[in-house]
Amino acid sequence: MPRWLLATLVFTLAALWWVAHLHSAPLAATNGGTGAADACRVLQVPGPILEAVQTEQSAPPFRLGNATVTPLAAFSVGARILSRENYYVGRETEYSPTDLALGWGPMAAPGIADALHVSQGGRWYRYSWSGDAPLPLSQVQLNSSNMHMVPANSNAASALDSLRTGQLVRLDGWLVEIDGDDGWRWRSSLSRGDTGNGACEIVLVCQVRTR
């Protein structure tokens, strides 16, 4: 192989690696995240749960990078990880490098994810099945969701990074809206029953527990 071609190949691979890892460290985990820490400090966490619980608590907005993060509601979920997907490019990755497709209640039963062939991509999650559906579609929609994870601190970032498909997990934090100084906006759903565009939850994750 000519040296110039080898050098070009090495440069191209290095550039691709740099782009892929450019947004891999979320802002809340790298810049101190004092506002996120304050939001986590005032969070009132419910007792043991095996579902998604949203409560009307409040915390003040705070700055994160070139955006304002506004907590909309307190949120806790005890669920099974049906699928996970990491993202490395796009505005959203500055705050959320990972999406989790979570199932709770009947959707947390072992084998459901395999029976539904759950997959993720483009900040969406999808499911399909062969033969008879393992659950009624209404139960699938009400008891599962694709959620965008925004780690509130380095501990949450590390814990989220270690999660794997099939695990049972408990997440506590806030559903949030992120408003960029340039007019860009990313707002969480506040309903578990919606579908389609805008139906995903954006979760500022304060605490991660597995079992």
Side-chain angles (χ1 to χ4, degrees):
M1 178 183 295
R3 289 185 177 180
W4 67 266
L5 182 58
L6 179 61
T8 301
L9 180 61
V10 171
F11 176 81
T12 301
L13 291 174
L16 290 172
W17 182 92
W18 181 81
V19 169
H21 289 79
L22 181 62
H23 298 298
S24 60
L27 286 169
T30 58
N31 71 352
T34 56
D38 291 340
C40 291
R41 192 173 300 114
V42 302
L43 179 67
Q44 299 178 32
V45 177
I49 56 170
L50 293 172
E51 57 183 336
V53 177
Q54 177 179 316
T55 57
E56 300 305 316
Q57 301 179 41
S58 62
F62 58 89
R63 295 289 296 173
L64 191 59
N66 296 317
T68 298
V69 178
T70 303
L72 304 174
F75 184 71
S76 295
V77 59
R80 187 178 299 277
I81 301 172
L82 306 176
S83 178
R84 68 164 293 152
E85 184 75 14
N86 292 334
Y87 293 92
Y88 302 102
V89 294
R91 181 70 175 273
E92 295 85 357
T93 61
E94 296 180 22
Y95 309 95
S96 171
T98 301
D99 280 7
L100 297 179
L102 298 176
W104 54 90
M107 281 292 291
I112 288 295
D114 294 332
L116 283 173
H117 311 298
V118 177
S119 63
Q120 291 169 281
R123 294 286 180 175
W124 292 72
Y125 91 124
R126 301 165 181 83
Y127 47 84
S128 60
W129 58 86
S130 301
D132 295 332
L135 290 171
L137 183 58
S138 60
Q139 287 194 346
V140 175
Q141 293 174 340
L142 289 173
N143 292 277
S144 67
S145 181
N146 185 68
M147 301 190 184
H148 312 309
M149 301 289 110
V150 181
N153 50 57
S154 58
N155 288 338
S158 178
L160 288 167
D161 191 53
S162 70
L163 295 178
R164 297 294 178 263
T165 297
Q167 283 184 297
L168 291 171
V169 65
R170 164 73 182 261
L171 305 174
D172 297 296
W174 296 88
L175 301 178
V176 298
E177 178 180 305
I178 305 174
D179 293 285
D181 295 342
D182 59 357
W184 175 80
R185 172 175 290 182
W186 203 24
R187 182 180 174 87
S188 175
S189 167
L190 296 177
S191 170
R192 307 296 82 76
D194 51 0
T195 59
N197 190 34
C200 294
E201 287 75 15
I202 306 171
V203 187
L204 178 73
V205 180
C206 297
Q207 182 170 257
V208 180
R209 286 172 281 180
T210 59
R211 58 185 178 87

